[in-house]
Amino acid sequence: MRKPWIVGVVVGFLLLGACGDPASGPESAPPPVPQAARTSPSPTIHQRPAATPEAEPAVEPGTAAPAKRPTVLYLGDSLAMENQKVLGGLLREELDARYTSAPYSGTTLCDYLEGTGEKSLVPPKDKAAALVRSLRPDFVVLQFWGNAWDYTWCMDGITHDKARDKYFARYTADARRLTDQIAGAAGGPDRPKVVWVLQGPDPITPDRVRGVNQVYERQADASGDLVADAGKAVSPASARYTWTQHLPCTAYEREHPQYCTQPGSGRTALHLDDDYLHFCLAPTTPESRPCPVRSPGITRMGLAITQAIAAATS
């Protein structure tokens, strides 16, 4: 296994290429989806159908369906790119949700702000406010690991390693602006709830992710929105911000060997040996794509997000 400090030298590739080129179009046709799981295409280029057999949710059904069928919009970076099919499958299965996803690899909060122009990796039609105006969602789920390197143009070169205070100040301001734009796009008091997804451990700069999560929690508190602690589901039970490649299998994973990747030891893999950031257990490709294989870390995070939305709709 590569040590985290070695992996750090290729982090630019991970953010930009691990889940594909952020400017690339839709991936090639996915494997066939069962008829019951098929849905109408999304108006955005990144809509994905329900999870394929290779990405079935590793949870037993049982969440009570809400009285109202929620509409959910999922935005984010490469983590959202790889998570989107599994999350969509969980939301449809457990909550009968209407679901649209529009993630772009390599992005951060400012990329989804209207007014960023050519400095953004997200085209105008897929900005958060534009999608809220067209889709009228009940929930907008935001999953951003927190781009800490000098790539995302709209961050104006502000990076965690060179300007820690400016990085968090900018991230805080962008979280507030993005919330305001989402609320304004709703055009009335019944704006969508923003669901801030808390991130898992970072082995290179562990305090950075802690700080990013605090930004999300403060913003959710200030605006009456929600958090989904998906990062806790991929962290050791006794060490929320300690990175690990493997965790003990859950009861469901032990009963289903395809999800418990090391059944003899009772542990399962969250990351590939050479990628400490992403949770997809398939090799990376140059083209953007949802994760094509069962990956316990992705399922655990998807379930945490689904449960947060279910709690808000009950």
Side-chain angles (χ1 to χ4, degrees), residues 6-300:
I6 296 174
V7 180
V9 301
V10 297
V11 73
F13 167 77
L14 296 178
L15 286 172
L16 306 180
C19 289
D21 177 0
S24 64
E27 79 276 7
S28 57
V33 178
Q35 184 63 39
R38 297 173 192 260
T39 58
S40 300
S42 161
T44 72
I45 64 171
H46 288 283
Q47 168 67 22
R48 307 297 183 216
T52 68
E54 291 79 10
E56 292 171 350
V59 293
E60 298 181 79
T63 303
K68 177 188 175 185
R69 189 180 178 193
T71 299
V72 180
L73 173 62
Y74 184 42
L75 308 176
D77 55 19
S78 59
L79 295 182
M81 175 67 75
E82 68 182 10
N83 292 354
Q84 59 186 314
K85 275 190 175 180
V86 170
L87 178 60
L90 284 165
L91 288 169
R92 293 187 183 101
E93 179 180 346
E94 300 298 326
L95 303 178
D96 193 28
R98 300 178 180 90
Y99 173 75
T100 301
S101 57
Y104 285 83
S105 297
T107 56
T108 193
L109 299 179
C110 58
D111 285 293
Y112 281 89
L113 288 168
E114 291 189 322
T116 47
E118 294 180 357
K119 296 182 69 175
S120 175
L121 297 171
V122 176
K125 67 183 181 60
D126 283 342
K127 298 293 191 182
L131 291 174
V132 168
R133 283 191 289 268
S134 63
L135 299 171
R136 317 303 294 181
D138 301 299
F139 298 92
V140 179
V141 180
L142 301 176
Q143 179 159 11
F144 293 90
W145 188 74
N147 190 320
W149 292 275
D150 191 8
Y151 173 74
T152 307
W153 305 323
C154 61
M155 285 290 288
D156 299 318
I158 299 172
T159 62
H160 179 268
D161 59 335
K162 297 178 182 178
R164 182 181 182 277
D165 290 344
K166 286 184 177 180
Y167 169 82
F168 284 117
R170 175 61 183 274
Y171 222 70
T172 298
D174 286 345
R176 185 182 305 114
R177 288 182 62 200
L178 191 56
T179 300
D180 289 345
Q181 288 193 2
I182 289 170
D190 295 328
R191 73 168 182 86
K193 284 282 187 182
V194 177
V195 182
W196 294 96
V197 180
L198 305 188
Q199 301 303 293
D202 174 2
I204 305 300
T205 53
D207 288 341
R208 186 197 63 79
V209 164
R210 190 190 304 268
V212 166
N213 285 346
Q214 289 172 351
V215 169
Y216 296 160
E217 290 174 309
R218 287 195 297 266
Q219 181 57 50
D221 286 343
S223 55
D225 287 309
L226 309 173
V227 295
D229 196 354
K232 183 178 181 180
V234 292
S235 304
S238 60
R240 171 64 177 81
Y241 287 99
T242 298
W243 184 90
T244 183
Q245 186 180 5
H246 302 90
L247 281 178
C249 297
T250 64
Y252 186 92
E253 290 165 355
R254 289 193 299 271
E255 293 171 5
H256 299 77
Q258 66 268 38
Y259 292 108
C260 192
T261 60
Q262 297 179 315
S265 67
R267 297 174 69 79
T268 196
L270 302 178
H271 305 275
L272 292 175
D273 289 348
D274 58 356
D275 187 345
Y276 76 89
L277 172 59
H278 297 93
F279 293 87
C280 184
L281 298 183
T284 59
T285 62
E287 187 176 343
S288 299
R289 63 173 183 170
C291 185
V293 300
R294 291 184 178 94
S295 298
I298 289 176
T299 300
R300 291 178 181 212

